[in-house]
Amino acid sequence: TDNLSSSHSSLLLHDLIAGGIAGSCGVVVGHPLDSLKVRMQMINTGTSSASSSSSVASSLTRSNAQFGSVWKGLGAPFTMATVINAAIFL
């Protein structure tokens, strides 16, 4: 039974780690895209409808101080998604 118990706890640990990684990856990819989406919704564009979303997003990232500004505020969602997804994987 000790061997079975350690095998079970090892599987639980692997599930926790896998869930944490999945949650953190989702936030690292999704947060910058969501930040760009919100910035695109906030701007009052007088541009023609021919402007593509990628050109608007590119100009938004260049107009800010740094490209890294799309990751501002990542800490709390990153932590929460890691913990929640780790718990869900159990």
Side-chain angles (χ1 to χ4, degrees):
T1 45
D2 278 342
N3 193 14
L4 181 62
S5 174
S6 67
S7 171
H8 183 67
S9 64
S10 175
L11 288 175
L12 285 175
L13 180 62
H14 287 171
D15 286 346
L16 281 171
I17 292 171
I21 290 171
S24 60
C25 288
V27 172
V28 167
V29 170
H31 187 78
L33 295 174
D34 190 47
S35 296
L36 285 175
K37 178 193 71 158
V38 169
R39 290 178 190 174
M40 289 172 68
Q41 291 172 341
M42 288 175 47
I43 61 174
N44 186 9
T45 58
T47 60
S48 67
S49 60
S51 297
S52 69
S53 296
S54 58
S55 67
V56 173
S58 175
S59 68
L60 279 172
T61 55
R62 277 182 286 175
S63 68
N64 290 322
Q66 299 175 3
F67 179 72
S69 67
V70 294
W71 279 281
K72 280 185 180 178
L74 181 71
F78 181 85
T79 304
M80 288 306 298
T82 302
V83 171
I84 290 170
N85 281 316
I88 289 173
F89 265 58
L90 292 177

